[in-house]
Amino acid sequence: MLRITGLVEYLITTVFFTCTYFLFYMVQVKVLGDFNFLPMVSILFIPAGVKFLAMLVGRGAGVFGVLVGVELVNLYTGKSLDLLQIGLHAVGWILLPYACMVAYLKQREHGQNLIGLTTFDVIALVIVVSLVSSIGSQLYWNGFDAAGVPLIRAIWGMFVGDIAGIFLALGVVLVTPKVFSRANIETSS
């Protein structure tokens, strides 16, 4: 029974982050498209916040959910399904940053328990994940289109956009429960 419960939890987490990533990517493209200042780089990239939360809270299931969400976006936008390119991009964009996050949490002795996470830890994780993801993604894209945007500029732009998106997502996650608890207190009074 415990094994089935774990599988159901994994599937629910995967589906949640798949849908969340896809929806926030659509909001990014449809509503925040003007925030793009380079091709494939936005100054405020909200899906990066979803990706960060998926890695931190959802762990493996969250990472898998985001990867499926990315492929849903690719299918929606008409991109072909190329498993080699999907794998190469996934390594630099989410798997390597996730491995760095897990290593950091293990080094700081947090493991699966995030209760002892400090503000310093969160900021360090945001910087590490954003930097590794930006470098990995831009090296991948630069390999396919070397005549595009200068590499350092693209890495820096993506890094800033990812950090902005992550802090926005973290802010929403931290503020939302407080707003609902206030509304609950006011209605019960």
Side-chain angles (χ1 to χ4, degrees), residues 79 87 104 131 168:
K79 292 182 182 170
Y104 179 90
L131 186 61
L168 179 65

Side-chain angles (χ1 to χ4, degrees), residues 46-130:
I46 297 172
V50 175
K51 180 177 86 168
F52 182 80
L53 290 172
M55 291 190 300
L56 186 63
V57 177
R59 300 297 174 112
V63 169
F64 185 67
V66 168
L67 287 171
V68 173
V70 168
E71 290 318 305
L72 286 178
V73 167
N74 288 340
L75 289 173
Y76 179 81
T77 58
K79 292 182 182 170
S80 63
L81 192 64
D82 182 342
L83 294 178
L84 179 61
Q85 286 188 354
I86 291 168
L88 289 173
H89 184 241
V91 167
W93 181 72
I94 194 167
L95 297 178
L96 190 55
Y98 178 62
C100 291
M101 175 183 277
V102 169
Y104 179 90
L105 291 171
K106 189 174 183 177
Q107 177 67 28
R108 300 279 291 171
E109 298 178 357
H110 290 297
Q112 294 289 346
N113 185 356
L114 300 177
I115 292 172
L117 221 56
T118 65
T119 303
F120 175 83
D121 290 328
V122 173
I123 291 171
L125 286 171
V126 168
I127 291 169
V128 166
V129 165
S130 297

